[in-house]
């Protein structure tokens, strides 16, 4: 049964779905989205109400939304990969942290990016300042959270969400030396082979980052 993931290598949410596939060494086809792949783009556009990637195709089943893709992989493709803990209470914490990264890290980072896409010459200063303030609050909360939750060695839904969120958020608002636990965790995540592969695959597209990509990872 063919397993295919539609997305773009520079997309943070595509990374989120790629990381568990790479970490588990699961065979799959990557079907890139772009002007040279109109059929792939058309498939994604028709797959969900917003027509956004990533989209997973498994046999005759289509799954969209990165978190749901990971849940699907856990249930149907790689149940032994440990993406979601077997203990319901631990699973609840993992799912909660997934929402923290999507809503409060990735979401605020994306608001800054969207303002620069809307008007590259004059992004709205108030909106970008407010989004960075919310991102600062999320960083500070995570710094404290990490005091009681040291980084894990494996890959769960948390790492899948955290790695792309922290990678790109740090480009918009550097985590800085004042948050040593969060800075160390970002470095730990980027060193994971599955995440490192995503970083390298995305490197050719850095010039397209609306704020200008920093000369670092």
């Amino acid at each position: 049964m063919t397993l295919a993931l539609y997305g773009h290598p520079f997309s943070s949410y595509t990374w989120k779905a790629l990381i568990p596939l790479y970490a588990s060494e699961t065979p799959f086809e990557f079907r890139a989205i772009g002007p040279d792949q109109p059929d792939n783009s058309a498939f994604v556009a028709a797959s969900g109400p917003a027509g956004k990637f990533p989209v997973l195709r498994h046999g005759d089943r289509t799954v969209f939304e990165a978190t749901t893709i990971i849940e699907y992989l856990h249930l149907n493709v790689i149940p032994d990969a440990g993406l979601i803990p077997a203990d319901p209470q631990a699973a609840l914490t993992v799912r909660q942290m997934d929402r923290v990264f999507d809503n409060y890290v990735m979401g605020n980072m994306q608001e800054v990016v969207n303002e620069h896409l809307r008007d590259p010459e004059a992004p709205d200063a108030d909106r970008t300042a407010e989004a960075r303030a919310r991102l600062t609050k999320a960083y500070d909360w995570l710094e404290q959270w990490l005091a009681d939750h040291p980084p894990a060695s494996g890959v769960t839904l948390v790492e899948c969400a955290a790695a792309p969120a922290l990678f790109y958020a740090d480009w918009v608002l550097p985590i800085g030396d004042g948050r040593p636990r969060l800075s160390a965790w970002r470095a730990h995540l980027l060193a994971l082979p599955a995440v490192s592969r995503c970083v390298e695959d995305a490197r050719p597209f850095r010039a397209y980052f609306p704020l200008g990509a920093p000369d670092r990872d």
Side-chain angles (χ1 to χ4, degrees), residues 6 31-46:
Y6 295 74
R31 297 179 180 172
I33 303 303
D36 297 331
Q37 298 89 15
D39 291 344
N40 293 349
S41 299
F43 177 80
V44 168

Tab-separated table of all heavy atoms in Angstrom, residues 6 31-46:
chain	number	residue	atom	x	y	z
A	6	TYR	N	2.611	14.697	0.747
A	6	TYR	CA	2.655	15.879	-0.108
A	6	TYR	C	3.041	17.083	0.753
A	6	TYR	O	2.451	17.311	1.813
A	6	TYR	CB	1.284	16.136	-0.731
A	6	TYR	CG	0.808	15.083	-1.691
A	6	TYR	CD1	0.353	13.845	-1.233
A	6	TYR	CD2	0.785	15.325	-3.066
A	6	TYR	CE1	-0.106	12.876	-2.118
A	6	TYR	CE2	0.325	14.368	-3.955
A	6	TYR	CZ	-0.115	13.144	-3.473
A	6	TYR	OH	-0.571	12.191	-4.359
A	31	ARG	N	6.087	13.801	-2.268
A	31	ARG	CA	5.559	14.430	-3.463
A	31	ARG	C	5.530	15.935	-3.244
A	31	ARG	O	4.694	16.473	-2.515
A	31	ARG	CB	4.166	13.877	-3.778
A	31	ARG	CG	4.228	12.378	-4.088
A	31	ARG	CD	2.902	11.748	-4.376
A	31	ARG	NE	3.051	10.313	-4.650
A	31	ARG	CZ	2.060	9.458	-4.796
A	31	ARG	NH1	0.794	9.896	-4.699
A	31	ARG	NH2	2.291	8.180	-5.043
A	32	ALA	N	6.489	16.601	-3.877
A	32	ALA	CA	6.715	18.022	-3.627
A	32	ALA	C	5.628	18.880	-4.258
A	32	ALA	O	5.056	18.547	-5.308
A	32	ALA	CB	8.084	18.433	-4.165
A	33	ILE	N	5.374	20.009	-3.598
A	33	ILE	CA	4.414	21.003	-4.080
A	33	ILE	C	5.188	22.148	-4.713
A	33	ILE	O	6.139	22.673	-4.126
A	33	ILE	CB	3.556	21.540	-2.914
A	33	ILE	CG1	2.842	20.398	-2.203
A	33	ILE	CG2	2.566	22.573	-3.424
A	33	ILE	CD1	1.960	19.556	-3.079
A	34	GLY	N	4.796	22.539	-5.906
A	34	GLY	CA	5.469	23.644	-6.565
A	34	GLY	C	4.962	23.797	-7.984
A	34	GLY	O	4.159	22.993	-8.470
A	35	PRO	N	5.422	24.838	-8.672
A	35	PRO	CA	4.931	25.102	-10.028
A	35	PRO	C	5.245	23.988	-11.017
A	35	PRO	O	4.561	23.852	-12.038
A	35	PRO	CB	5.645	26.410	-10.414
A	35	PRO	CG	6.810	26.508	-9.478
A	35	PRO	CD	6.382	25.856	-8.213
A	36	ASP	N	6.270	23.180	-10.710
A	36	ASP	CA	6.631	22.092	-11.617
A	36	ASP	C	5.876	20.802	-11.309
A	36	ASP	O	6.081	19.793	-12.000
A	36	ASP	CB	8.137	21.819	-11.550
A	36	ASP	CG	8.964	22.999	-12.018
A	36	ASP	OD1	8.469	23.762	-12.867
A	36	ASP	OD2	10.097	23.159	-11.523
A	37	GLN	N	5.031	20.824	-10.277
A	37	GLN	CA	4.268	19.632	-9.886
A	37	GLN	C	2.782	19.995	-9.781
A	37	GLN	O	2.196	19.950	-8.689
A	37	GLN	CB	4.775	19.062	-8.547
A	37	GLN	CG	6.217	18.599	-8.556
A	37	GLN	CD	7.197	19.702	-8.196
A	37	GLN	OE1	6.819	20.738	-7.680
A	37	GLN	NE2	8.468	19.472	-8.482
A	38	PRO	N	2.148	20.396	-10.885
A	38	PRO	CA	0.757	20.852	-10.811
A	38	PRO	C	-0.207	19.779	-10.304
A	38	PRO	O	-1.191	20.107	-9.630
A	38	PRO	CB	0.439	21.269	-12.251
A	38	PRO	CG	1.430	20.530	-13.091
A	38	PRO	CD	2.674	20.444	-12.268
A	39	ASP	N	0.047	18.519	-10.612
A	39	ASP	CA	-0.850	17.461	-10.154
A	39	ASP	C	-0.802	17.325	-8.633
A	39	ASP	O	-1.840	17.124	-7.986
A	39	ASP	CB	-0.491	16.127	-10.796
A	39	ASP	CG	-0.804	16.090	-12.290
A	39	ASP	OD1	-1.561	16.964	-12.757
A	39	ASP	OD2	-0.284	15.189	-12.975
A	40	ASN	N	0.391	17.456	-8.062
A	40	ASN	CA	0.519	17.386	-6.606
A	40	ASN	C	-0.189	18.561	-5.945
A	40	ASN	O	-0.882	18.402	-4.930
A	40	ASN	CB	1.996	17.388	-6.206
A	40	ASN	CG	2.719	16.131	-6.641
A	40	ASN	OD1	2.086	15.157	-7.062
A	40	ASN	ND2	4.033	16.143	-6.555
A	41	SER	N	-0.015	19.737	-6.520
A	41	SER	CA	-0.659	20.931	-5.969
A	41	SER	C	-2.178	20.815	-6.054
A	41	SER	O	-2.894	21.201	-5.123
A	41	SER	CB	-0.180	22.177	-6.716
A	41	SER	OG	1.226	22.342	-6.577
A	42	ALA	N	-2.669	20.270	-7.152
A	42	ALA	CA	-4.116	20.117	-7.317
A	42	ALA	C	-4.672	19.112	-6.307
A	42	ALA	O	-5.765	19.310	-5.757
A	42	ALA	CB	-4.432	19.669	-8.740
A	43	PHE	N	-3.922	18.047	-6.062
A	43	PHE	CA	-4.365	17.050	-5.088
A	43	PHE	C	-4.484	17.668	-3.701
A	43	PHE	O	-5.475	17.469	-2.995
A	43	PHE	CB	-3.393	15.869	-5.059
A	43	PHE	CG	-3.747	14.834	-4.035
A	43	PHE	CD1	-4.729	13.891	-4.289
A	43	PHE	CD2	-3.103	14.807	-2.804
A	43	PHE	CE1	-5.061	12.941	-3.340
A	43	PHE	CE2	-3.428	13.861	-1.844
A	43	PHE	CZ	-4.425	12.925	-2.116
A	44	VAL	N	-3.480	18.443	-3.307
A	44	VAL	CA	-3.511	19.089	-1.994
A	44	VAL	C	-4.660	20.081	-1.914
A	44	VAL	O	-5.385	20.138	-0.914
A	44	VAL	CB	-2.160	19.785	-1.705
A	44	VAL	CG1	-2.264	20.697	-0.493
A	44	VAL	CG2	-1.068	18.742	-1.488
A	45	ALA	N	-4.849	20.850	-2.950
A	45	ALA	CA	-5.915	21.862	-2.949
A	45	ALA	C	-7.292	21.241	-2.746
A	45	ALA	O	-8.182	21.870	-2.153
A	45	ALA	CB	-5.880	22.647	-4.252
A	46	ALA	N	-7.457	20.003	-3.214
A	46	ALA	CA	-8.757	19.342	-3.109
A	46	ALA	C	-8.890	18.477	-1.860
A	46	ALA	O	-9.971	17.930	-1.612
A	46	ALA	CB	-8.990	18.481	-4.348
